[in-house]
Amino acid sequence: MPSDRAPTRIQRKNRAAILEAALDVFSSHGFRGSTVDQIAKAAGLSKPNLLYYFPSKEAIFNELMAGLLDTWLDPLRALDPDGEPLEEILAYVQRKLQMSRDYPRESRLYANEIVQGAPRLHDVIAADLNVLVEEKAHLLQGWMDAGRINRAHPKHLLFSIWSLTQHYADFDAQVRTLMGDEDPFDAAPQYLETLYRRMLTPNI
Amino acid sequence: MPSDRAPTRIQRKNRAAILEAALDVFSSHGFRGSTVDQIAKAAGLSKPNLLYYFPSKEAIFNELMAGLLDTWLDPLRALDPDGEPLEEILAYVQRKLQMSRDYPRESRLYANEIVQGAPRLHDVIAADLNVLVEEKAHLLQGWMDAGRINRAHPKHLLFSIWSLTQHYADFDAQVRTLMGDEDPFDAAPQYLETLYRRMLTPNI
DNA sequence: CCTTGATTTGACCAACTGGTCAAACTCACG
DNA sequence: CGTGAGTTTGACCAGTTGGTCAAATCAAGG
């Protein structure tokens, strides 16, 4: 185990390499489907050497998840109560879509966990995420009550944004097969903007 | 191995119990995360006894998948070229939503596979699903060209229906945590109907 | 260059897992 | 009720996996 002192150059490099490799492996095989050996090889280390930096497979996973969740919720946090409602929501949709394009592994890692019942995430969801969702659902409800966007169940609205955007990362294998040569991310931004604009623009 | 004759009463009962148990186990832990022992126990059999009915873990999985895919695509097949376009699409959305409510395990089993890159499904997707999607995308495009529904990328339209409806099954753990006491399926049908009606009703 | 702590590794272990097999048991039917 | 096919199981095996450990190697400051 590395000492408690300030991390050495080697420690920083290897811990980063391990987390990067673990993201790759965990996101494409799930926790149970991944082996320490796989991660070690992907990080260019031997298995005992990897376990010199992290005490266990689970510890790697947890550190990865902790780091992920923070950045994962940033786009929603950025929903500005003082902005123009429709534009705020559309911008949020585009930020989420960007994340699916730029960080598909993170999205799949998260999806893997939730699909399997979130055994290692239940607490975090019940705590941090719940608070954030309540706050933003309330904000959306306020905009609807003020007639600035069309009415819709605010939580279902959030769910729909998550599912529509993350779909392009999580179901990438299916989407790409069905789209052939066309890059899904060419038309997706336009499609989602149209969808939410038509849905939320206040009726005259 | 059971003989080639017509299946006995016991064979029918046990094979059904195994497939039912396997659906439970595979859908909540993924293929790699599931063990033959788990499935056997859930089916009320010993491991060797289970392997008397199926030659391998993979064989169980494959039989499960083959049976699933057929029924999984039925709602899309039922999209009727001769129907009223908007109502056809809305009915399809509701059928898919029903499936998420009534067969969440099947949805998660499928999701588990796709998220992990569809290693055991690539051929089927590239073949059957692709043909069906091309056909229905063409139908949707026709409706748009005739001005009977608003324009939108037809494949992305299909993706959006899949992702929005399956989300309630696949991310059930998250959705239920965030909805508290409220049953997600109370408001979901209404929400999705409104969404697609606003989106697709032709502009005047 | 030498010491000391940091890093790396081969060898190893125990638990688990998918699968086999021969022997035992059960059932349906003549 | 006897018999042969159908069914069940305990014992077992080989490969994999997460994790340990002592010994070897390396890096950096004195």
Side-chain angles (χ1 to χ4, degrees):
Chain A
M1 185 172 41
S3 71
D4 286 340
R5 289 189 225 282
T8 67
R9 171 182 56 88
I10 296 179
Q11 276 171 41
R12 268 196 303 277
K13 189 190 58 152
N14 282 345
R15 284 185 57 98
I18 290 169
L19 289 173
E20 165 67 21
L23 176 58
D24 234 61
V25 175
F26 280 139
S27 71
S28 48
H29 306 290
F31 180 78
R32 187 90 201 302
S34 306
T35 74
V36 177
D37 245 334
Q38 270 180 310
I39 300 173
K41 202 154 287 181
L45 301 176
S46 68
K47 183 171 63 159
N49 196 8
L50 180 149
L51 289 166
Y52 168 72
Y53 291 100
F54 288 87
S56 69
K57 179 182 168 183
E58 189 129 7
I60 306 174
F61 184 87
N62 289 339
E63 183 144 339
L64 206 53
M65 269 296 173
L68 163 62
L69 276 170
D70 245 7
T71 57
W72 206 236
L73 295 179
D74 275 344
L76 180 54
R77 288 204 192 87
L79 198 69
D80 183 3
D82 300 324
E84 158 61 25
L86 184 56
E87 300 308 319
E88 280 297 319
I89 295 169
L90 292 177
Y92 172 49
V93 170
Q94 298 300 327
R95 281 197 296 277
K96 281 291 287 176
L97 191 56
Q98 285 285 354
M99 293 200 63
S100 279
R101 186 214 302 243
D102 298 341
Y103 305 103
R105 295 176 304 173
E106 283 83 348
S107 185
R108 281 194 285 269
L109 179 60
Y110 190 76
N112 248 315
E113 275 305 292
I114 306 290
V115 169
Q116 303 193 0
R120 282 167 281 270
L121 275 180
H122 219 276
D123 302 343
V124 193
I125 293 179
D128 299 359
L129 182 54
N130 200 19
V131 170
L132 184 61
V133 164
E134 286 298 335
E135 177 200 327
K136 297 306 183 183
H138 192 260
L139 171 60
L140 292 168
Q141 187 65 60
W143 285 341
M144 292 171 195
D145 290 343
R148 304 183 69 187
I149 52 175
N150 251 329
R151 286 196 183 282
H153 193 300
K155 284 184 184 174
H156 285 274
L157 175 55
L158 288 176
F159 297 158
S160 73
I161 295 173
W162 298 344
S163 84
L164 286 173
T165 53
Q166 291 173 10
H167 185 81
Y168 291 100
D170 302 344
F171 284 67
D172 177 82
Q174 178 177 270
V175 169
R176 289 197 187 272
T177 303
L178 296 177
M179 294 282 292
D181 289 336
E182 201 179 338
D183 182 346
F185 287 99
D186 285 347
Q190 176 63 243
Y191 176 80
L192 293 185
E193 160 148 7
T194 305
L195 188 158
Y196 281 106
R197 201 177 274 288
R198 285 184 186 154
M199 179 183 189
L200 295 175
T201 298
N203 291 330
I204 317 162
Chain B
M1 185 175 40
S3 72
D4 287 342
R5 288 189 228 282
T8 68
R9 171 183 57 88
I10 297 179
Q11 276 171 41
R12 268 196 303 275
K13 188 190 57 149
N14 281 346
R15 284 185 56 98
I18 291 169
L19 289 173
E20 165 69 21
L23 176 58
D24 236 60
V25 175
F26 280 140
S27 71
S28 48
H29 305 290
F31 180 79
R32 186 89 200 300
S34 306
T35 74
V36 176
D37 245 334
Q38 270 180 309
I39 300 173
K41 202 155 286 180
L45 301 175
S46 67
K47 183 170 63 160
N49 198 8
L50 181 149
L51 289 167
Y52 167 71
Y53 291 100
F54 287 88
S56 70
K57 179 181 169 182
E58 188 129 7
I60 306 174
F61 185 88
N62 288 339
E63 183 144 339
L64 206 54
M65 269 298 173
L68 163 63
L69 276 170
D70 245 8
T71 58
W72 206 237
L73 295 179
D74 276 344
L76 180 54
R77 287 202 193 88
L79 198 69
D80 183 3
D82 300 325
E84 158 60 25
L86 183 56
E87 300 307 320
E88 280 298 319
I89 294 168
L90 292 177
Y92 172 49
V93 170
Q94 297 300 328
R95 282 198 296 276
K96 281 291 285 176
L97 191 57
Q98 284 285 353
M99 294 199 62
S100 279
R101 186 213 302 243
D102 298 340
Y103 305 103
R105 296 176 304 174
E106 282 83 347
S107 186
R108 282 194 285 271
L109 179 60
Y110 190 75
N112 248 315
E113 276 305 292
I114 306 290
V115 169
Q116 302 193 1
R120 279 167 284 271
L121 275 180
H122 219 276
D123 302 343
V124 192
I125 293 178
D128 299 359
L129 182 55
N130 199 19
V131 170
L132 184 62
V133 164
E134 287 297 335
E135 177 200 326
K136 297 305 183 183
H138 192 259
L139 170 60
L140 292 169
Q141 187 65 60
W143 285 341
M144 292 171 195
D145 290 345
R148 304 182 69 187
I149 53 175
N150 248 332
R151 286 196 184 282
H153 192 301
K155 285 184 184 175
H156 285 273
L157 175 56
L158 288 176
F159 297 157
S160 73
I161 294 174
W162 298 346
S163 86
L164 285 174
T165 54
Q166 292 173 11
H167 185 81
Y168 291 100
D170 301 344
F171 285 68
D172 178 81
Q174 177 176 270
V175 168
R176 288 197 187 274
T177 302
L178 296 177
M179 294 283 291
D181 289 335
E182 201 179 338
D183 182 347
F185 288 100
D186 285 346
Q190 177 63 244
Y191 177 81
L192 292 185
E193 160 149 6
T194 305
L195 188 156
Y196 281 107
R197 201 176 277 286
R198 285 185 188 152
M199 180 181 189
L200 296 176
T201 298
N203 290 329
I204 317 159

